[in-house]
Amino acid sequence: MRLYSNLQKEEKELAIRYQLGSTHLEMLFLLSRLNEGGWIPVRQLYPFFPLTQPAVGRILRHLAYWRFVELRRDKVDRRCLLVRLLPNAHKLLEEVESLRAQVLRTFFPTVTPQQLKSWVEALRNTTFVHRPDVEASMGVPI
């Protein structure tokens, strides 16, 4: 539980440094999992969050403002909004992985670099930032 608590605290502090909240980080994690190298229709994101569609849109606009994602309308169907990750988002997610490695290293100082890398990769699809809904706050992949 101490490890979980530390991961949660460190990720929350990192998010705050980038003027983001827990939901913003979760959105970036989700986009990185769904990302197949291109644009993702925003409507695919709605089922993953216990939020209204306008709230998801506000999160994406905030991320676009800080240059973590790019938003655009579909050229064929102007009603469809598309999103994709920008390089800043990839850098932030790499920073989260590095932070996780540091926290794991403090709890398990004798682990080999290969094991540490495996653990961090296994945690790639989870977020530990506190969320009001139980599954997300426990680090269960969305």
Side-chain angles (χ1 to χ4, degrees), residues 27-68:
M27 180 67 74
L28 293 176
F29 277 107
L30 175 64
L31 289 170
S32 72
R33 283 188 296 247
L34 295 177
N35 190 10
E36 296 161 359
W39 295 91
I40 301 166
V42 170
R43 70 176 171 270
Q44 286 183 2
L45 308 176
Y46 298 144
F48 293 97
F49 291 93
L51 303 169
T52 63
Q53 292 178 4
V56 170
R58 282 191 297 275
I59 291 166
L60 290 171
R61 282 192 303 278
H62 188 246
L63 289 170
Y65 177 81
W66 291 109
R67 315 287 289 151
F68 290 107

Side-chain angles (χ1 to χ4, degrees), residues 64 67-70 84-91:
R67 315 287 289 151
F68 290 107
V69 300
E70 183 179 2
R84 74 172 174 180
L85 289 174
L86 292 176
N88 283 346
H90 294 290
K91 287 180 198 172

Side-chain angles (χ1 to χ4, degrees), residues 121-141:
E121 286 176 7
L123 293 174
R124 183 170 283 155
N125 293 333
T126 13
T127 181
F128 293 96
V129 180
H130 176 69
R131 285 279 312 267
D133 51 321
V134 176
E135 292 84 13
S137 68
M138 292 178 63
V140 176

